[in-house]
Amino acid sequence: MPKDALPNGSASVLAPVGSWSRVSEMQAKLHRWAAADPGRRFDDLFNFVHDPVTLLVAFDRVADNRGARTPGVDGLTVTDVEERIGVPGFLDDLRTSLKDGSFRPLPVRERKIPKPGGSGKVRALGIPTVSDRVVQAALKLVLEPIFEAGFEPVSYGFRPNRRAQDAIAEIHHFGTRGYRWVLDADIEACFDRIDHTALMDRVRSRVKDKRILALVKAFLKAGILTELGENKSTTTGTPQGGILSPLLANIALSVLDEYLMEPWKSSGSMSSEGRRGYRRRKGLPTWRLVRYADDFVVLVHGTEHDTQVVREDVAKVLKPIGLRLSPAKTQIAHLSDGFDFLGFRIRWRRKRGTDKWHVYTFIADRPIRSLKAKIRALTHRKSQQDLGSVLIRLNQIMRGWANYFKHAVAKDRFSALHQFVWWRLIRMLQVRHRWSWKDVRRHFTTPTGRWLPITATGGTELFDIAKVAVTRYRWRSNNIPNPWNSPI
């Protein structure tokens, strides 16, 4: 299940409100200038990066991140910086090293985590030092509004105010309008294989400041300290885990967005419904890209052969940036057979009891298996963990999970999951307290026989996922505002 990037303008913990306001004003100007002149290359951006206010806001973001407690290769966490060094002194030293050119990124610390779904495979994360994270966050504050002005609206991953549900809604919208063939693509080791030269060329297309370019390149070449303690050079890729990595990946992959969406632009062959209809009457296909970071699908209004041609074109576009499609995981499917995307199962099927066909969005099997595995780990029958702590963690997991999937056809799934977690807790309590079924009823029913929710001492109550309202997520088309302008 993808994790959306925090939108710019999120609540501040450390930096004064005035600092956030000044940075937002700077970003708004950069975005406005970039949008007004698509060919403009920005110079003198480095002063924004090492500005005390920018660094303060950048540190605030790093401190507010869930990874703040994880140290890099220097062993320092955000807490260590706050308690042992002091934030003002830390930022002053960092600013000085940036200004005099002595700043050098350290290698990222490699940490391997299991991939979701219980496949047994692992994903390598790169954990930068706190200093490197702050500088990356400052770079992102400056670069993001510039590149956002040129990003295509079909890209949804790790972009402000955009989320996975927007991508799913777009697929639903075009799937109901005849786009029934799907290129379900998977890029092989995308973050590890992006060509640095091609990426830097795309950064240079909008950034002229050599100090900024040198800083971005230094992060790309910083290297990796493996779990075995070996230093490994980074000749390609941008390590997952860095604050700047998602933005750099979007910059690299925007070449795909631009290629496939060029016909949709003004005066293009697919720029209006009339022109798209004309193409189809001539036997020519139309297509629509939907991308979330390195996961993407291409919806095709045409034939299976047309989709195969699109696949070959996509492979050619990705090759110059060092990427290729995974032969095993990339597939061509018809919407009536369904496909999985971002944890959802999307399928065109007949509505039960009628002859009408609709595009339905279900919850895929893998996220359900993953959720159940987490529930099982927390509710082992012989667990002696405090019931209140178990309920707090279960509630956190299920609330987040339900909030992500509540726009799918999910009511039956939610009810089944509530039953699953309820029985897991009941069996755990039965073993722990040696309760019979009669004891269970005595603790969790009223004198009239009505069941009560499972509640721990202190009042923590089991979250009932079955009561979550399931609603349709509305397609927002191009009307998604960013933090620096108004909706279109």
Side-chain angles (χ1 to χ4, degrees), residues 14-15 19-20 23 48-49 51-65 78 87 90-91 94 130-142 243:
L14 170 75
S19 299
W20 285 83
V23 170
F48 287 133
V49 172
D51 187 285
V53 173
T54 307
L55 291 177
L56 188 60
V57 171
F59 185 87
D60 193 13
R61 286 200 165 183
V62 171
D64 201 30
N65 192 283
V78 169
V87 175
F90 172 80
L91 293 181
L94 187 57
V130 176
S131 297
D132 291 350
R133 280 179 244 176
V134 173
V135 177
Q136 286 192 33
L139 273 171
K140 187 178 181 222
L141 287 169
V142 174
I243 293 173

Side-chain angles (χ1 to χ4, degrees), residues 349-484:
R349 57 181 286 182
R350 183 174 59 83
K351 184 178 180 180
R352 189 178 300 172
T354 72
D355 290 327
K356 295 181 179 180
W357 287 65
H358 301 278
V359 176
Y360 290 91
T361 304
F362 304 97
I363 305 174
D365 291 335
R366 195 168 77 170
I368 293 174
R369 289 197 304 268
S370 178
L371 177 65
K372 286 185 174 181
K374 291 178 182 178
I375 294 171
R376 288 189 183 99
L378 285 167
T379 58
H380 193 276
R381 292 189 184 192
K382 296 183 180 179
S383 170
Q384 294 303 310
Q385 191 175 359
D386 174 65
L387 178 61
S389 300
V390 172
L391 290 180
I392 289 171
R393 185 64 188 131
L394 281 173
N395 290 351
Q396 290 172 342
I397 292 171
M398 291 194 298
R399 283 182 195 276
W401 199 88
N403 191 52
Y404 183 81
F405 287 109
K406 68 182 179 182
H407 303 296
V409 181
K411 202 65 182 174
D412 290 345
R413 291 288 200 180
F414 284 174
S415 296
L417 285 168
H418 179 68
Q419 288 295 315
F420 176 78
V421 71
W422 190 89
W423 277 109
R424 291 288 305 182
L425 285 168
I426 289 296
R427 286 166 183 150
M428 183 184 79
L429 293 172
Q430 281 184 296
V431 171
R432 177 180 298 182
H433 301 295
R434 296 177 181 171
W435 283 348
S436 65
W437 182 246
K438 187 175 181 181
D439 296 322
V440 171
R441 289 188 61 86
R442 186 172 72 252
H443 280 85
F444 296 113
T445 61
T446 65
T448 60
R450 184 174 65 86
W451 283 96
L452 298 170
I454 297 176
T455 308
T457 304
T460 303
E461 185 178 303
L462 176 65
F463 170 66
D464 188 352
I465 194 173
K467 292 182 179 178
V468 174
V470 174
T471 57
R472 168 73 64 85
Y473 188 90
R474 297 298 175 187
W475 180 56
R476 296 194 285 170
S477 184
N478 294 336
N479 301 317
I480 303 177
N482 64 45
W484 315 293

Side-chain angles (χ1 to χ4, degrees), residues 191-334:
F191 280 83
D192 298 331
R193 295 185 177 178
I194 293 175
D195 183 81
H196 287 173
T197 302
L199 173 56
M200 289 304 300
D201 285 344
R202 294 194 70 80
V203 175
R204 287 190 192 94
S205 69
R206 300 245 61 180
V207 177
K208 192 177 180 181
D209 193 323
K210 291 183 179 180
R211 294 167 297 178
I212 293 286
L213 296 171
L215 203 51
V216 172
K217 188 173 182 178
F219 279 116
L220 292 174
K221 302 293 186 183
I224 297 171
L225 180 66
T226 68
E227 290 184 328
L228 299 176
E230 300 171 349
N231 281 304
K232 187 168 67 174
S233 61
T234 47
T235 56
T236 61
T238 171
Q240 292 189 65
I243 293 173
L244 197 59
S245 293
L247 175 60
L248 294 178
N250 271 333
I251 291 172
L253 289 170
S254 62
V255 67
L256 177 65
D257 306 344
E258 292 164 5
Y259 175 80
L260 288 178
M261 297 310 296
E262 181 64 29
W264 285 76
K265 299 220 172 136
S266 178
S267 75
S269 60
M270 303 181 199
S271 58
S272 67
E273 186 57 48
R275 290 184 175 181
R276 293 192 290 273
Y278 176 79
R279 279 182 61 90
R280 291 192 284 266
R281 287 193 297 273
K282 293 291 185 179
L284 298 173
T286 57
W287 55 80
R288 183 80 177 186
L289 169 69
V290 180
R291 183 172 69 82
Y292 189 98
D294 59 330
D295 293 328
F296 69 92
V297 297
V298 183
L299 308 172
V300 178
H301 195 311
T303 65
E304 184 176 8
H305 173 72
D306 294 329
T307 313
Q308 181 61 45
V309 172
V310 171
R311 174 178 177 161
E312 293 168 3
D313 288 344
V314 166
K316 291 176 184 176
V317 172
L318 292 176
K319 189 175 180 180
I321 59 172
L323 302 177
R324 68 171 192 153
L325 297 176
S326 168
K329 296 182 180 178
T330 299
Q331 61 176 342
I332 292 174
H334 194 270

